[in-house]
Amino acid sequence: GAGVSQSPSNKVTEKGKDVELRCDPISGHTALYWYRQSLGQGLEFLIYFQGNSAPDKSGLPSDRFSAERTGGSVSTLTIQRTQQEDSAVYLCASNPQSGPNSPLHFGNGTRLTVT
Amino acid sequence: DQQVKQNSPSLSVQEGRISILNCDYTNSMFDYFLWYKKYPAEGPTFLISISSIKDKNEDGRFTVFLNKSAKHLSLHIVPSQPGDSAVYFCAASAMYSGYALNFGKGTSLLVTP
């Protein structure tokens, strides 16, 4: 079956432009997570959705970052007025339900480069 | 602040030998721990996990050990194979935060023939 799908796989943008990253979770997975990995860093938690609601937005680095999820499925992460420090690999993950016994299934990520 | 720490950025092991990857954590509320494996240009994939009520979990060549008093866990791979070469991420989670995963920075394992 299809795994978590992310698009685009690569995105190069100019500083100050807005970008939208898309995540298609595994069908039926109710929980969806966004992480990012900057160069030489671990995976940094950004936001988590249970269905369409986001109980935990604590990881969003600034108000330039926002995310939404519609229909309990596709999610978009939007970064406004991109800065060079936003350059990273943005990873999306899903699981059937939040909880310890439900390991995350990750997509291959979107590599964002802000020039 | 980094609540999950992997202090060895890289490790090189000969094929057939044991690989030991270490991880330390600071948050005593963490009650579930996982290891993920990541190949270049791919997302991390789940490898093995352990609940805080256990001190060992084994799955084939992979064993995870948890020492709660020391806030330390380790992943043992025996015997190591060249296909095990990847970046290994330690992760921890807690019920109070909805089990969102806190990841370490990863250890790059190279298994040489």
Side-chain angles (χ1 to χ4, degrees):
Chain A
V4 176
S5 177
Q6 291 187 247
S7 61
S9 54
N10 279 284
K11 175 72 178 178
V12 180
T13 190
E14 288 182 355
K15 177 181 169 181
K17 297 282 179 77
D18 298 352
V19 294
E20 241 182 41
L21 312 179
R22 177 187 168 107
C23 172
D24 241 302
I26 293 172
S27 178
H29 281 195
T30 59
L32 185 148
Y33 304 76
W34 283 98
Y35 286 84
R36 75 174 175 181
Q37 185 180 17
S38 304
L39 191 64
Q41 301 297 312
L43 281 73
E44 175 189 3
F45 169 76
L46 298 178
I47 189 169
Y48 143 66
F49 287 92
Q50 182 61 43
N52 291 334
S53 64
D56 190 351
K57 302 180 183 180
S58 62
L60 293 177
S62 75
D63 58 8
R64 295 186 296 105
F65 287 71
S66 63
E68 65 174 16
R69 189 179 185 196
T70 54
S73 180
V74 172
S75 175
T76 54
L77 176 69
T78 302
I79 309 173
Q80 295 178 309
R81 305 180 302 281
T82 51
Q83 303 294 313
Q84 287 185 330
E85 62 262 27
D86 299 334
S87 296
V89 176
Y90 288 81
L91 289 157
C92 175
S94 70
N95 62 4
Q97 60 186 25
S98 66
N101 296 318
S102 186
L104 302 185
H105 300 259
F106 281 87
N108 287 339
T110 293
R111 180 175 295 278
L112 174 66
T113 304
V114 182
T115 60
Chain B
D1 63 333
Q2 195 79 19
Q3 298 186 70
V4 178
K5 299 177 184 179
Q6 294 177 257
N7 292 321
S8 297
S10 63
L11 176 67
S12 183
V13 171
Q14 266 192 327
E15 182 178 7
R17 300 283 184 108
I18 183 171
S19 295
I20 299 176
L21 296 96
N22 292 303
C23 177
D24 298 290
Y25 61 95
T26 58
N27 189 341
S28 57
M29 298 295 288
F30 287 146
D31 55 11
Y32 203 74
F33 306 88
L34 308 90
W35 285 92
Y36 280 78
K37 176 178 176 180
K38 185 180 184 301
Y39 293 116
E42 294 183 11
T45 55
F46 169 72
L47 191 57
I48 193 169
S49 63
I50 188 167
S51 162
S52 60
I53 62 173
K54 296 186 175 181
D55 54 20
K56 177 182 174 181
N57 189 26
E58 193 171 349
D59 183 2
R61 297 185 298 113
F62 302 90
T63 303
V64 56
F65 294 92
L66 175 64
N67 182 335
K68 280 201 306 182
S69 61
K71 294 192 180 69
H72 177 84
L73 64 155
S74 60
L75 174 68
H76 292 211
I77 307 173
V78 182
S80 302
Q81 299 173 353
D84 296 330
S85 298
V87 177
Y88 288 78
F89 289 96
C90 172
S93 65
M95 185 173 69
Y96 77 88
S97 62
Y99 290 105
L101 295 181
N102 294 265
F103 284 89
K105 292 186 179 182
T107 296
S108 179
L109 173 66
L110 176 65
V111 181
T112 56

